[in-house]
Amino acid sequence: MKKMKRIMALICTAMIVFGLTACGGSSDTEKSGNDDNKKTELYILAAASMTDVLNELAESYEKEHPDVKLNFSFASSGDLQTQIEEGAPADVFISAAQKQMNALKDEDLMDNDSIVDLLENKVVLIKHKDSDLDIKSFEDIATDKVEMVAIGNPDSVPVGQYTQTIYENLKLWDDIKDKANLGKDVRQVLDWVATENADCGIVYATDAAIEEDVEVVCEAPEGSCDPAIYPAGIVKATENKEDAQEFLDFLKTDEAKQAFEKYQFTYVYSE
């Protein structure tokens, strides 16, 4: 009986020791989790047309900067401008046009010294790759060959603003706007054409390049709109200015340049 009691006591002692060890292990796990939580989180607000290239670059950047986590918000530049104006978390803003960046500068919401012209894009006319639609120019959209054209909403989407300018300069805007289906960003316009929910559409060359179900008909007529320049800069309200600047500097490197050019952007930044 005494022997049995000693055995039971040893078992209880072992269980207590095991329990304490397990608790210690839990503390280590929690500590590790807390370390992860101590990462600097950067919020990058970027034009929808940059989705693929920035997601690719993020993998490389986070490997080289394990203490930083990049959080992206991709949308039309106009919507992103509104988010910054309303105080949404934002450290870096990359616009698909100067208009939205200039508006934020005028409102004193950007660190003006940080802003650089980073990239240029081309505005192109696309149709579905299997479409037999007989169009060869932007002017053809104004004819009865096209029932519906997908374009970005000119109120908030830079490619839509470029589109309106192009057709105003061609004296054809009144013929276009009534048959235009307005997308919330350039990727929605691309999707409508890729899924044959619009006869054709107007997007950036970079968007057309990543969608195998569309083909480029032509570029916008030369001189019909200003160059599609992408400025980038640090949001003034950031609490992580040094980290934001380091990420912005990364976008100026040869590694980033090669990625941008792979996705058909023209790299325009210079010291």
Side-chain angles (χ1 to χ4, degrees), residues 60-222:
S60 172
Y61 190 82
E62 289 183 343
K63 284 180 182 177
E64 296 172 6
H65 301 78
D67 57 335
V68 174
K69 177 174 174 53
L70 300 178
N71 298 296
F72 290 102
S73 178
F74 297 109
S76 73
S77 298
D79 286 345
L80 296 175
Q81 174 193 335
T82 299
Q83 289 179 34
I84 293 170
E85 291 169 337
E86 293 179 350
D91 298 293
V92 174
F93 176 46
I94 311 174
S95 177
Q98 301 281 12
K99 178 181 178 180
Q100 290 75 21
M101 185 66 79
N102 289 338
L104 292 174
K105 285 171 60 179
D106 291 344
E107 295 168 33
D108 198 29
L109 294 174
M110 297 297 299
D111 178 352
N112 293 352
D113 292 338
S114 72
I115 298 172
V116 296
D117 290 342
L118 190 64
L119 306 167
E120 182 178 352
N121 217 330
K122 302 294 183 185
V123 180
V124 298
L125 172 62
I126 60 170
K127 65 177 183 178
H128 192 273
K129 67 175 184 178
D130 297 327
S131 172
D132 57 4
L133 186 65
D134 182 24
I135 55 173
K136 296 181 174 61
S137 68
F138 273 64
E139 290 87 344
D140 284 342
I141 308 306
T143 70
D144 57 10
K145 294 178 181 179
V146 174
E147 293 183 5
M148 180 189 294
V149 58
I151 69 172
N153 188 334
D155 291 338
S156 60
V157 185
V159 74
Q161 292 157 4
Y162 289 124
T163 299
Q164 181 172 347
T165 298
I166 289 165
Y167 280 106
E168 285 176 344
N169 287 331
L170 293 174
K171 311 299 184 187
L172 294 172
W173 178 240
D174 287 341
D175 299 299
I176 295 298
K177 62 183 181 181
D178 290 337
K179 63 173 72 178
N181 201 28
L182 305 183
K184 63 182 176 63
D185 58 41
V186 69
R187 290 301 172 91
Q188 185 171 60
V189 174
L190 181 69
D191 181 66
W192 283 339
V193 179
T195 56
E196 299 184 274
N197 284 304
D199 297 329
C200 55
I202 298 170
V203 298
Y204 293 120
T206 55
D207 299 293
I210 58 97
E211 176 52 70
E212 61 182 13
D213 287 329
V214 305
E215 66 177 46
V216 174
V217 175
C218 63
E219 291 185 7
E222 187 174 355

